């Protein structure tokens, strides 16, 4: 019988297997197609003898495998997938090619075998294979089970021949060997060989594994030892720490309760495992407890004379301030028990509040703690966070105490007027607990948890604005105002304090450089605009640094005296004008006076009006109180329009009041009379000289009420060249504070009712 032939060279197939291909080879497709079309769908699969040829009949074997196409599928990318079942050995002869396909004559092979022999060999083979599998970990026991299920020796030998990892050449031998017993015998040999190989491999593996294990073991042991010794080391570090803590605790001055608490904490730390995440927190807490000055006190200087001397050395003038401070200290010394109020220094920036507070500390020989509470809106900043809070710390008060390292320092609390209140709490009330003598002997910080005695602390607060200090705090404060300085006071401060300090800083002496008075005054007038002397100090230092540099570069020898011209040389063009009020007369423009962080300043107020419905427009970043002042002024004028000689038309005009420099916020009632005057000047088209200024609150009846910050305002007016100021009669006593040199230059008109101004200016 003729049968198509398929040549397969990549693998050696045996009966009782499957052959799967996927191909787009045209010849092969043609062959598969032909097989599919045939009745029997059968094919003889052969392996060419040389393992390569596909077209050389001489290399085609005489034995092939009778197979049948069991499955065919066209898959995407135009390939054919086919599966053949391979069944039995057949003889093949007379190969010939027809239409591109080889055909051969096929004859059945008959396998004869004695049943007993078959069983014997089957058992032998399976046993042998079982042993082999034992050494080859890659062969699974499932395979062994499958083989045990094979009944014929022929099939068993074929399966084994296929499974064993032997060369293709050897496999072919098994395929072409028709005597089953010989196949079995050979396979037994083969298995033995394979087994000894596998055993060898297995032994080697085991040895290598042992070696590796040994190495591993050593490695692990070493790692273990390392870890243990690290642990031991850490333990000893911890032990060391505990020893140190205990020593510190012995020396710590504190009460029994605190001591017990620290002892407990050290014990807790001692028993905590070194991997405990709380360890750091415990350490931090113990550190804090051990470093607070629970009962450490410094001894005060008690001689008032001595204290005064130190204050004088550090600070020029402000004699009444110093006097009040001395009184305060005297009272404090006298009556230790009595609740003494907290000092609060109030004044514009740079007038020396903070430095005075430091000097008080120095003069008493106390340590100094200093915090700023400006912008604080969280009470935890004052009293700390509870320890359960991540990153918890004590509040600023105890932080300050730790830095001060004594429990009776001078404690400066800056910017007490700039605390804020929101949902996170009210820091002012926490601060109250700190400042209140009744409560502060057992001040409770949330982190520290043990009461700390603050009753020996001398608190000094500073602020810029009295009105902005929280009411409840203000009650506890002994308020001392430090006013802004006149230019002559600044001159003195510069000569006696700032210049020597600045010279010292750059390593010069008064023998090498001095400043003429006119130079200092010109710096004050044309290069600074401030209530205090902070900028003045900075600028003096700047000039001195430039002189030192020039000298090092060899450009100049030291100047003995710096005059006005040198000032301009070092500082460049003047930045501010001073006293240059050219006499102008304007309608609807009147100078008010304001109290700003730079001290006093002149605040021109402008008015205009036009046909409208009687509306009032106010611009220039005015606060509520100032807007109301504008409304009061206008109502007062409208109510008395006949007395003021203004026509009825005023009722149907829209009126616009503007206060220039719109970016600067302005508020307060003190512009009342200036607003009124600007309105009248505008309505009556009467000029007001620009050398006049006025300040005072106005009522609907035209009464003029007292205002605050007069000294600053007058100093501001003075530097702006104002020659006449209207002010409330009620402020008369404040004029006593005004330096004579200013009183000589400015005429003050005290008024209690607006009509007085009207008469003076407009009639
Ligand atoms: P404040 O706290 O009021 O803003 P500072 O205390 O910081 O002001 O003072 C600013 C600078 O001015 C400091 O260097 C200070 O020594 C100096 N100063 C202020 N007033 C005087 C004064 N009366 N005498 C000497 N130096 C002063």
């Amino acid at each position: 019988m003729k049968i198509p032939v398929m040549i397969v060279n990549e693998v050696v197939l045996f009966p009782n297997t499957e052959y799967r291909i996927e191909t787009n080879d045209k010849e092969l497709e043609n062959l598969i197609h032909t097989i599919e079309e045939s009745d029997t769908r059968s094919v003889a699969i052969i392996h060419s003898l040389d393992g390569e040829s596909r077209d050389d009949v001489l290399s085609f074997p005489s034995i092939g495998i009778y197979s049948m196409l069991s499955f065919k599928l066209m898959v995407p990318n135009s390939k054919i997938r086919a599966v053949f079942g391979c069944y039995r050995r057949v003889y093949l002869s007379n190969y010939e090619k027809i239409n591109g396909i080889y055909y051969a004559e096929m004859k059945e092979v008959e396998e004869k075998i004695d049943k007993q022999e078959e069983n014997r060999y089957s058992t032998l083979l399976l046993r042998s294979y079982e042993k082999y599998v034992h050494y080859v970990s890659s062969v699974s026991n499932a395979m062994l089970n499958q083989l045990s299920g094979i009944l014929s020796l022929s099939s068993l030998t074929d399966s084994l021949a296929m499974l064993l990892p032997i060369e293709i050449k050897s496999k072919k031998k098994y395929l072409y060997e028709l005597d089953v017993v010989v196949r079995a015998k050979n396979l037994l040999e083969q298995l033995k060989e394979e087994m000894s190989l596998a055993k060898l491999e297995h032994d080697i593996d085991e040895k290598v594994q042992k070696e590796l294990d040994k190495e591993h073991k050593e490695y692990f042991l070493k790692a273990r030892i390392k870890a243990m010794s690290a642990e031991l080391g850490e333990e000893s570090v911890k032990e060391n720490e505990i020893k140190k803590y205990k020593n510190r605790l012995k020396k710590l001055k504190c009460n029994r309760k605190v001591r017990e608490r620290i002892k407990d904490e050290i014990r807790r730390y001692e028993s905590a495992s070194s991997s405990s995440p709380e360890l750091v927190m415990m350490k931090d807490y113990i550190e804090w407890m051990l470093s607070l000055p629970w009962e450490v006190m410094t001894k005060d200087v008690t001689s008032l004379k001595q204290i005064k001397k130190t204050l004088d050395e550090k600070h020029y003038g402000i004699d009444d301030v110093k006097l009040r401070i001395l009184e305060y200290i005297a009272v404090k010394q006298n009556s230790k028990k009595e609740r003494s109020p907290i000092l609060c220094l109030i004044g514009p920036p740079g007038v020396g509040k903070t430095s005075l507070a430091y000097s008080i500390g120095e003069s008493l020989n106390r340590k100094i703690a200093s915090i700023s509470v400006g912008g604080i809106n969280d009470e935890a900043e004052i009293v700390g966070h509870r320890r359960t809070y991540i990153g918890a710390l004590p509040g600023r008060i105890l932080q300050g105490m730790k830095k001060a390292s004594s429990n009776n320092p001078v404690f400066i609390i800056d910017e007490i007027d700039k605390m804020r209140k929101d949902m996170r709490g009210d820091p002012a009330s926490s601060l109250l607990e700190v400042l209140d003598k009744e409560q502060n002997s057992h001040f409770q910080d949330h982190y520290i948890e043990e009461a700390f005695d603050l009753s020996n602390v001398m608190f000094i607060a500073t602020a810029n604005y009295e009105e902005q200090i929280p009411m409840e705090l203000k009650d506890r404060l002994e308020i001392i105002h430090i006013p802004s300085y006149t230019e002559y006071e600044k001159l003195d401060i510069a000569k006696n304090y700032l210049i020597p300090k600045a010279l010292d800083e750059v390593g010069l002496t008064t023998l090498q450089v001095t400043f003429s008075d006119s130079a200092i005054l010109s710096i004050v007038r044309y290069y600074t605009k401030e209530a205090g002397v902070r900028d003045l100090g900075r600028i003096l230092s700047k000039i001195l640094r430039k002189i030192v540099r020039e000298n090092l570069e060899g450009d100049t020898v030291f100047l003995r005296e710096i005059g006005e011209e040198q000032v301009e040389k070092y500082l460049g063009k003047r930045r501010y004008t001073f006293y240059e009020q050219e006499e102008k007369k304007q309608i609807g423009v009147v100078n008010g006076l304001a109290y700003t962080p730079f001290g006093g300043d002149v605040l021109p107020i402008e008015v205009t009006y036009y046909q409208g419905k009687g509306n009032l427009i106010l611009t220039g970043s005015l606060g509520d109180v100032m807007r109301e002042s504008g409304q009061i002024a206008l109502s007062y004028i409208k109510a008395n329009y006949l007395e003021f000689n203004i026509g009825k038309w005023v009722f149907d005009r829209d009126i616009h009041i503007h206060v220039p420099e719109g970016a600067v916020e302005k508020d307060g009632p003190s512009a009342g009379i200036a607003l009124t005057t600007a309105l009248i000047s505008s309505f009556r088209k009467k000029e007001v000289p620009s050398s006049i200024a006025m300040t005072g609150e106005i009522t609907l009846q035209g009464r003029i009420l007292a205002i605050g910050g007069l000294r600053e305002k007058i100093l501001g007016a003075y530097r702006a060249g104002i020659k006449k100021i209207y002010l409330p009669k009620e402020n008369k006593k404040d004029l006593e504070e005004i330096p004579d040199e200013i009183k000589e230059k400015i005429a003050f008109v005290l008024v209690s009712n607006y009509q007085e101004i009207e008469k003076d200016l407009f009639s």
Side-chain angles (χ1 to χ4, degrees):
M1 172 190 158
K2 272 210 183 290
I3 187 165
V5 172
M6 184 155 73
I7 305 137
V8 174
N9 282 334
E10 322 83 67
V11 281
V12 180
L13 293 163
F14 284 85
N16 297 312
T17 51
E18 254 183 11
Y19 176 55
R20 292 165 179 269
I21 56 169
E22 193 173 291
T23 182
N24 54 4
D25 180 291
K26 286 280 165 271
E27 271 184 30
L28 211 49
E29 275 178 18
N30 183 28
L31 172 63
I32 292 168
H33 193 66
T34 309
I35 297 167
E36 193 187 17
E37 296 289 291
S38 70
D39 292 343
T40 54
R41 294 163 65 100
S42 56
V43 61
I45 295 178
I46 59 161
H47 308 296
S48 58
L49 296 174
D50 60 8
E52 283 174 11
S53 311
R54 309 189 67 86
D55 234 353
D56 179 9
V57 185
L58 287 178
S59 72
F60 289 173
S62 53
I63 290 175
I65 304 164
Y66 178 80
S67 312
M68 277 165 87
L69 176 67
S70 61
F71 177 80
K72 189 200 112 179
L73 181 75
M74 296 296 296
V75 288
N77 55 35
S78 63
K79 278 188 174 177
I80 285 182
R81 192 179 290 164
V83 181
F84 295 87
C86 311
Y87 296 109
R88 58 182 185 270
R89 290 177 177 81
V90 283
Y91 291 114
L92 298 170
S93 57
N94 298 332
Y95 288 101
E96 60 172 334
K97 203 171 189 178
I98 307 169
N99 293 335
I101 296 173
Y102 276 103
Y103 287 85
E105 201 66 49
M106 183 187 88
K107 236 171 84 184
E108 294 294 333
V109 171
E110 265 183 60
E111 287 181 343
K112 268 200 210 124
I113 180 159
D114 177 87
K115 203 70 193 151
Q116 251 186 355
E117 229 177 2
E118 186 171 21
N119 284 345
R120 208 161 57 96
Y121 277 107
S122 289
T123 316
L124 278 175
L125 273 174
L126 282 172
R127 253 188 230 159
S128 177
Y129 188 69
E130 198 176 349
K131 277 190 198 153
Y132 165 76
V133 166
H134 174 73
Y135 290 109
V136 187
S137 52
S138 60
V139 181
S140 72
N141 284 330
M143 186 57 75
L144 191 65
N145 288 339
Q146 232 177 37
L147 290 175
S148 329
I150 296 173
L151 296 175
S152 81
L153 180 62
S154 174
S155 299
L156 182 63
T157 51
D158 284 344
S159 297
L160 277 172
M162 229 176 75
L163 279 174
L164 285 179
I166 47 178
E167 288 175 21
I168 286 187
K169 227 163 76 192
S170 314
K171 286 199 182 205
K172 276 185 186 166
K173 266 192 202 153
Y174 285 106
L175 179 64
Y176 300 138
E177 177 55 66
L178 297 179
D179 188 333
V180 182
V181 175
V182 175
R183 277 208 314 262
K185 278 182 184 163
N186 284 348
L187 268 171
L188 279 171
E189 278 299 308
Q190 185 95 42
L191 270 172
K192 230 186 202 166
E193 210 172 294
E194 288 300 319
M195 202 153 52
S196 62
L197 261 175
K199 191 166 176 294
L200 192 66
E201 249 173 36
H202 179 83
D203 287 352
I204 291 172
D205 270 0
E206 215 166 39
K207 212 171 155 200
V208 169
Q209 190 59 42
K210 266 191 195 147
E211 284 290 316
L212 272 178
D213 280 352
K214 208 173 131 205
E215 263 178 47
H216 265 147
K217 208 164 152 191
E218 266 172 33
Y219 174 81
F220 279 123
L221 272 177
K222 273 187 191 155
R224 193 65 201 262
I225 289 169
K226 215 164 146 189
M228 274 159 63
S229 61
E231 189 121 319
L232 285 172
E234 244 170 51
E235 277 305 312
S236 65
V237 168
K238 198 172 150 196
E239 263 167 38
N240 252 341
E241 251 165 6
I242 291 166
K243 222 185 270 168
K244 272 189 206 155
Y245 287 153
K246 285 182 176 166
N247 274 337
R248 279 171 69 188
L249 180 60
K250 243 183 244 164
K251 287 182 208 148
L252 188 71
K253 288 186 182 161
C254 63
N255 62 37
R256 245 199 28 235
K257 192 158 173 284
V258 170
R259 190 174 301 281
E260 284 309 312
R261 177 71 190 262
I262 300 176
K263 257 189 207 162
D264 276 353
E265 291 292 331
I266 295 176
R267 236 174 270 141
R268 239 162 60 83
Y269 176 62
E270 214 169 351
S271 61
S273 122
S274 49
S275 58
S276 163
E278 278 182 55
L279 218 61
V280 177
M281 276 150 67
M282 292 181 190
K283 269 171 65 175
D284 283 351
Y285 182 73
I286 297 171
E287 267 304 325
W288 267 104
M289 294 293 277
L290 286 173
S291 44
L292 282 175
W294 298 94
E295 288 183 356
V296 183
M297 259 181 126
T298 56
K299 214 168 162 335
D300 277 357
V301 169
T302 49
S303 151
L304 289 181
K305 224 169 159 186
Q306 174 84 35
I307 295 171
K308 183 171 182 316
K309 194 170 156 250
T310 319
L311 288 183
D312 281 341
E313 269 168 20
K314 303 273 169 192
H315 274 261
Y316 165 81
I318 46 174
D319 290 337
D320 43 346
V321 174
K322 288 180 192 158
L323 202 65
R324 283 192 65 186
I325 290 169
L326 287 172
E327 279 168 17
Y328 171 87
I329 292 170
V331 170
K332 226 171 150 54
Q333 282 176 1
N334 225 16
S335 55
K336 288 226 161 54
K337 292 272 170 293
E338 204 187 297
R339 266 179 70 179
S340 58
I342 315 298
L343 267 188
C344 179
L345 306 174
I346 297 184
V351 291
K353 301 179 296 295
T354 314
S355 56
L356 187 62
Y358 269 93
S359 310
I360 295 170
E362 236 171 277
S363 67
L364 287 167
N365 190 34
R366 287 197 182 200
K367 296 274 171 66
I368 290 173
S370 149
I371 62 169
S372 169
V373 291
I376 282 187
N377 56 356
D378 185 354
E379 58 188 20
E381 296 271 2
I382 306 283
V383 292
H385 284 291
R386 299 200 182 278
R387 281 173 72 194
T388 46
Y389 186 90
I390 294 171
L393 273 181
R396 294 195 191 188
I397 299 294
L398 288 195
Q399 291 189 25
M401 293 305 287
K402 179 183 166 187
K403 270 208 198 108
S405 67
S406 88
N407 77 356
N408 63 334
V410 164
F411 201 122
I412 304 165
I413 305 178
D414 267 328
E415 303 196 302
I416 203 167
D417 54 340
K418 299 206 174 53
M419 275 185 296
R420 285 182 286 134
K421 195 180 194 167
D422 67 13
M423 84 277 192
R424 262 175 293 185
D426 177 8
S429 64
S430 302
L431 202 53
L432 203 61
E433 281 172 39
V434 172
L435 300 179
D436 188 354
K437 275 269 178 261
E438 303 266 282
Q439 304 179 48
N440 74 5
S441 57
H442 44 269
F443 169 68
Q444 285 277 355
D445 182 281
H446 289 165
Y447 177 87
I448 293 295
E449 288 171 354
E450 291 298 323
F452 192 94
D453 183 3
L454 292 174
S455 62
N456 298 309
V457 177
M458 180 173 181
F459 286 104
I460 301 180
T462 79
N464 290 139
Y465 298 101
E466 186 175 342
E467 315 80 60
Q468 288 170 19
I469 300 174
M471 249 344 245
E472 64 270 33
L473 276 179
K474 207 149 97 176
D475 280 354
R476 312 288 153 119
L477 302 174
E478 161 127 12
I479 286 174
I480 299 178
H481 284 278
I482 305 186
S484 50
Y485 299 114
T486 66
E487 56 181 274
Y488 292 102
E489 284 167 341
K490 288 181 185 176
L491 175 67
D492 278 338
I493 296 174
K495 275 162 69 174
N496 298 308
Y497 297 85
L498 301 177
I499 293 172
K501 203 162 93 186
L503 281 170
D504 198 44
E505 273 167 18
V506 296
L508 294 173
T509 68
T510 36
L511 291 176
Q512 291 164 302
V513 179
T514 55
F515 285 82
S516 75
D517 285 6
S518 62
I520 299 171
L521 275 177
S522 91
I523 296 171
V524 168
R525 289 173 173 174
Y526 305 117
Y527 296 92
T528 67
K529 186 172 184 182
E530 58 177 348
V533 290
R534 196 174 285 159
D535 282 346
L536 178 58
R538 259 201 291 263
I539 288 172
L540 289 167
S541 296
K542 187 170 154 187
I543 293 177
L544 288 178
R545 278 199 305 274
K546 283 190 176 177
I547 291 173
V548 170
R549 203 199 63 223
E550 272 178 8
N551 183 255
L552 284 178
E553 285 168 356
D555 288 355
T556 55
V557 274
F558 281 126
L559 288 163
R560 294 304 298 272
E561 184 176 83
I562 295 169
E564 247 179 291
E565 315 81 67
Q566 275 85 24
V567 168
E568 210 155 334
K569 176 186 148 204
Y570 288 118
L571 299 180
K573 274 215 329 253
R574 291 177 173 188
R575 293 177 53 198
Y576 302 103
T577 55
F578 185 82
Y579 211 78
E580 277 175 3
Q581 197 74 41
E582 38 175 312
E583 195 58 51
K584 268 190 304 192
K585 291 191 169 178
Q586 285 176 289
I587 290 169
V589 181
V590 172
N591 292 322
L593 291 173
Y595 178 25
T596 71
F598 313 109
D601 209 352
V602 169
L603 196 68
I605 292 167
E606 301 176 353
V607 171
T608 185
Y609 61 88
Y610 38 82
Q611 192 67 42
K613 292 195 182 114
N615 295 322
L616 173 63
I617 302 153
L618 290 150
T619 55
S621 297
L622 311 183
D624 287 344
V625 180
M626 192 154 173
R627 303 176 77 84
E628 283 174 8
S629 276
Q631 282 158 358
I632 294 168
L634 185 60
S635 293
Y636 168 62
I637 294 167
K638 282 181 174 175
N640 302 287
Y641 73 102
L642 290 177
E643 283 87 346
F644 287 127
N645 261 331
I646 298 167
K648 212 170 179 181
W649 52 263
V650 77
F651 291 94
D652 53 19
R653 296 290 185 278
D654 280 353
I655 293 146
H656 187 160
I657 299 177
H658 178 61
V659 186
E661 289 195 58
V664 183
E665 293 206 9
K666 311 156 190 91
D667 205 1
S670 72
I673 58 174
L675 286 160
T676 314
T677 310
L679 285 165
I680 295 176
S681 152
S682 171
F683 296 153
R684 290 183 42 191
K685 304 244 176 301
K686 292 251 184 187
E687 291 172 333
V688 177
S690 59
S691 60
I692 287 180
M694 53 191 71
T695 177
E697 183 176 347
I698 193 157
T699 70
L700 281 173
Q701 273 72 42
R703 282 199 304 124
I704 295 172
L705 306 181
I707 46 88
L710 191 69
R711 180 184 156 104
E712 273 67 34
K713 287 176 178 170
I714 289 174
L715 289 183
Y718 171 71
R719 59 170 295 148
I722 297 292
K723 298 196 177 69
K724 184 174 180 181
I725 299 178
Y726 292 92
L727 60 147
K729 206 174 240 162
E730 287 178 2
N731 282 103
K732 186 174 178 201
K733 61 176 188 327
D734 296 330
L735 280 181
E736 288 164 17
E737 282 179 31
I738 307 300
D740 288 342
E741 80 250 21
I742 290 179
K743 283 185 185 152
E744 281 163 21
K745 291 247 167 71
I746 299 179
F748 295 102
V749 184
L750 293 161
V751 283
S752 57
N753 194 295
Y754 189 76
Q755 279 155 3
E756 296 163 44
I757 299 178
E758 199 254 355
K759 220 177 270 159
D760 208 24
L761 271 180
F762 298 123
S763 45

